[in-house]
Amino acid sequence: VTSGQGPLLLMTPGPTRVPDRVLAAGALPMIHHRTDEFSREVGSVVSGLGPLFGTASPVLPVHATGRGGTEAAIANLFSAGDEIAACCNGKFGAMWAAHAEAYGLTVHRMATDWSQDIDADELDRLLTRHPAVRAVTVTCTDTSTGVCNDVAAVARIGRAHGALVMVDGVSAVGGTPFAFDEWGVDVAVTASQKCLMSAPGLAFVALSERAWAAHERSRLPRRYWDFSEIRRSVTAARPNTPGTPPVTVMRQVAEAIRMINDEGLDVVWARHEAMAQAVRRATARLGLSLQATGLRRFAPTVTAIAAPPGISPETIRDGLKARGILVAGGLGTFEATCFRVGHMGDIRMVDVDATMTALADILGGLGTGRPASAEPAAR
Ligand SMILES: Cc1ncc(COP(=O)(O)O)c(C=O)c1O
């Protein structure tokens, strides 16, 4: 454990551990949000997030959590009755569909099996059958399953059919390579409390020129969410935000981006990938299965593990908690069978080792799985 340690080691897929440097940035005396000092922080967040998303466009802060960012994207880009295709292979994939329906859009759901990656041919067929579809929604790393969807492939197909490509990158951006401009993504959303190692409370949205054109045409009502107003504010000579932002969270995110740059973005991405591989290796070594059995591409930031037959995930989670480690429960379809290990943000290999060694100990005590060995479970 390197820093920011609370009573429990947060091996959760958000909120994640907030490192000391970032905690300190949030603990500074309050400053007014219309000062030069705060304006500089807004400017550094807006430009500093570009490389994490892989875009040269300004990234908009939205004063909400992640789902506020995705809902705002729907409200800003469409009109009632517009059609979209939603890739639903996880809770957060399905959430796009629910947001869109709440705003009166017609949603074509696909990839509804949570155990599988998205089948690009299925998307191609769906878009051929429904030529009026204006956008495809997808989640990059779906935190409920541990998949890393092939956003580049989805974007290629979406673009070929003239559809916008909208990506929930809430548990991905900052922890896994994301190439917004290169892949041809039109909207991507993230939030402060995951790979950005900060408190919850801020969402961030990247938009392409095509997305801005859709925004101009869109007739859905919005006010607080209005992306034009946010863009005007953050790209002003003195960058600022409409209304009062969560000042402390903005300062934390600014510091977290500086930390990521100090470590090196490529190094951060490689660290996440190495931790994910170590968790999967240890899972197999302990005789456990991943929850989503058909996946081909795995999230570098979170792993969903099936509890052994006859053992509830709560038993595993309680055992870990008794050893000072918090992991998350399963979500939705996987609630009764799964626990989720987050390895994102400030989490390091030493934390992964501690978690998987504790898991081996618990399984040994339950007389299930393979016996714990002396070597770190994750290696
Ligand atoms: C992939 C993904 N999308 C969206 C959300 C929703 O974000 P929030 O809880 O910040 O509203 C989460 C939260 O866990 C998530 O993991």
Side-chain angles (χ1 to χ4, degrees):
V1 175
T2 56
S3 60
Q5 174 70 319
L8 289 173
L9 169 58
L10 288 187
M11 296 297 289
T12 44
T16 60
R17 180 170 66 206
V18 179
D20 286 343
R21 262 177 75 173
V22 177
L23 280 176
L28 290 169
M30 182 54 57
I31 51 171
H32 194 268
H33 63 295
R34 301 295 178 210
T35 55
D36 287 343
E37 187 184 358
F38 188 68
S39 172
R40 279 194 295 276
E41 288 294 64
V42 174
S44 87
V45 167
V46 168
S47 60
L49 283 173
L52 276 61
F53 279 88
T55 185
S57 307
V59 177
L60 307 186
V62 178
H63 306 166
T65 64
R67 67 185 60 207
T70 47
E71 176 165 336
I74 297 286
N76 271 275
L77 266 61
F78 299 105
S79 304
D82 281 352
E83 291 180 43
I84 69 159
C87 300
C88 291
N89 60 336
K91 176 182 163 108
F92 298 102
M95 203 173 74
W96 274 120
H99 284 337
E101 281 174 341
Y103 280 82
L105 275 58
T106 298
V107 178
H108 303 282
R109 286 178 171 75
M110 59 157 287
T112 51
D113 181 348
W114 286 28
S115 294
Q116 306 282 337
D117 297 65
I118 292 163
D119 175 356
D121 293 337
E122 183 191 352
L123 176 60
D124 195 30
R125 287 194 299 274
L126 187 145
L127 295 179
T128 303
R129 271 200 318 279
H130 299 285
V133 162
R134 303 185 81 106
V136 179
T137 60
V138 60
T139 296
C140 182
T141 52
D142 202 303
T143 323
S144 60
T145 69
V147 72
C148 182
N149 285 314
D150 188 348
V151 172
V154 169
R156 220 168 21 249
I157 292 166
R159 286 218 149 203
H161 287 270
L164 296 172
V165 179
M166 304 175 65
V167 184
D168 175 340
V170 169
S171 62
V173 170
T176 184
F178 199 94
F180 185 96
D181 292 346
E182 184 190 322
W183 293 339
V185 172
D186 295 295
V187 175
V189 180
T190 196
S192 50
Q193 78 275 23
K194 296 193 185 253
C195 302
L196 296 178
M197 308 182 284
S198 300
L202 261 177
F204 299 98
V205 184
L207 294 143
S208 70
E209 283 310 315
R210 291 196 325 156
W212 282 111
H215 171 72
E216 293 305 322
R217 286 194 304 272
S218 152
R219 292 290 162 261
L220 283 174
R222 66 249 166 185
R223 183 71 201 88
Y224 183 80
W225 296 134
D226 185 13
F227 284 169
S228 294
E229 193 181 359
I230 302 174
R231 179 166 67 169
R232 259 196 311 280
S233 301
V234 298
T235 58
R238 284 175 75 253
N240 66 97
T241 58
T244 315
V247 169
T248 50
V249 185
M250 190 76 82
R251 290 175 117 185
Q252 286 193 327
V253 172
E255 187 63 21
I257 295 169
R258 287 189 278 270
M259 260 187 89
I260 288 171
N261 291 335
D262 287 350
E263 186 176 350
L265 189 52
D266 287 345
V267 177
V268 170
W269 287 339
R271 172 166 57 80
H272 281 78
E273 180 56 30
M275 292 192 296
Q277 289 187 18
V279 168
R280 292 200 300 280
R281 271 199 307 276
T283 299
R285 192 171 312 126
L286 293 171
L288 298 177
S289 309
L290 298 181
Q291 174 66 59
T293 45
L295 298 189
R296 284 173 285 126
R297 293 167 48 95
F298 301 98
T301 50
V302 56
T303 304
I305 301 172
I311 310 275
S312 90
E314 279 314 309
T315 303
I316 305 275
R317 292 184 64 212
D318 288 348
L320 286 169
K321 207 188 263 181
R323 290 161 177 80
I325 298 166
L326 189 68
V327 299
L331 291 175
T333 311
F334 294 156
E335 188 177 345
T337 51
C338 156
F339 61 98
R340 295 174 303 138
V341 180
H343 28 83
M344 65 172 83
D346 187 50
I347 295 302
R348 315 277 153 171
M349 192 63 90
V350 65
D351 306 313
V352 168
D353 281 345
T355 303
M356 301 315 276
T357 301
L359 183 57
D361 186 38
I362 292 162
L363 294 178
L366 292 168
T368 184
R370 304 208 181 97
S373 72
E375 68 173 321
R379 299 303 162 86

